[in-house]
Amino acid sequence: MSQPEEMYQCQTVNCGYIYNPDKGERKGKIKKGTAFKDIPDEWRCPVCGATKAAFKPLAGPGSVMEENMGSATDNKSETITKESAMKKYRCLICGYVYDPEAGDPANGVKPGTAWEDVPEDWICPVCGADKEEFEEA
């Protein structure tokens, strides 16, 4: 049975599809036992069509759980790093959230790329909306 660290959940609004390596993904012809990291970059969420960049592990490093626990700290003197200061942006059309930490490697935007540095001709990987159709999340 797969551990939560091996399962990945789509982060687009109203989706939440969970990729489980024990089951694979029939629509995308991903065989049982295939780790998320081994899925081809061109694979899309079978529910909403989001790219792999829209997924986060259920637990462990880079997970939503870790992100939420990290924001619960009461240490006011903690230095804010550039990464933690980068804001996320939500597509007004489909709800996809651009996360600077993840970037959009499938579309040429490296992880760690701040919204301001995303090329102006970049489009939403889910619905194809222009960058101007996004607002701060």
Side-chain angles (χ1 to χ4, degrees):
M1 182 171 167
S2 292
Q3 299 298 310
E5 296 83 7
E6 300 168 317
M7 295 184 216
Y8 282 68
Q9 184 174 29
C10 184
Q11 301 299 303
T12 58
V13 175
N14 298 325
C15 183
Y17 169 79
I18 296 175
Y19 174 77
N20 181 345
D22 287 343
K23 295 180 180 180
E25 197 270 297
R26 288 187 353 183
K27 184 178 176 184
K29 299 180 181 173
I30 307 298
K31 294 180 181 178
K32 292 178 182 179
T34 303
F36 187 79
K37 67 178 181 63
D38 296 329
I39 295 173
D41 288 337
E42 58 275 358
W43 177 82
R44 299 285 186 150
C45 174
V47 175
C48 70
T51 64
K52 282 178 65 174
F55 283 75
K56 288 190 178 184
L58 290 180
S63 69
V64 173
M65 183 186 308
E66 179 185 69
E67 192 175 282
N68 291 341
M69 289 175 64
S71 65
T73 181
D74 287 339
N75 185 355
K76 303 292 181 195
S77 64
E78 183 179 309
T79 304
I80 298 174
T81 64
K82 181 180 178 187
E83 279 189 351
S84 66
M86 287 196 281
K87 298 174 183 164
K88 296 178 183 179
Y89 286 79
R90 181 179 319 280
C91 178
L92 296 170
I93 308 300
C94 70
Y96 167 81
V97 176
Y98 173 78
D99 180 355
E101 190 174 319
D104 184 11
N107 293 300
V109 180
K110 295 180 181 178
T113 303
W115 181 250
E116 297 77 27
D117 298 327
V118 173
E120 290 303 316
D121 62 349
W122 177 84
I123 58 170
C124 177
V126 175
C127 71
D130 292 329
K131 193 175 167 185
E132 60 203 27
E133 296 294 334
F134 281 72
E135 70 178 7
E136 191 175 318

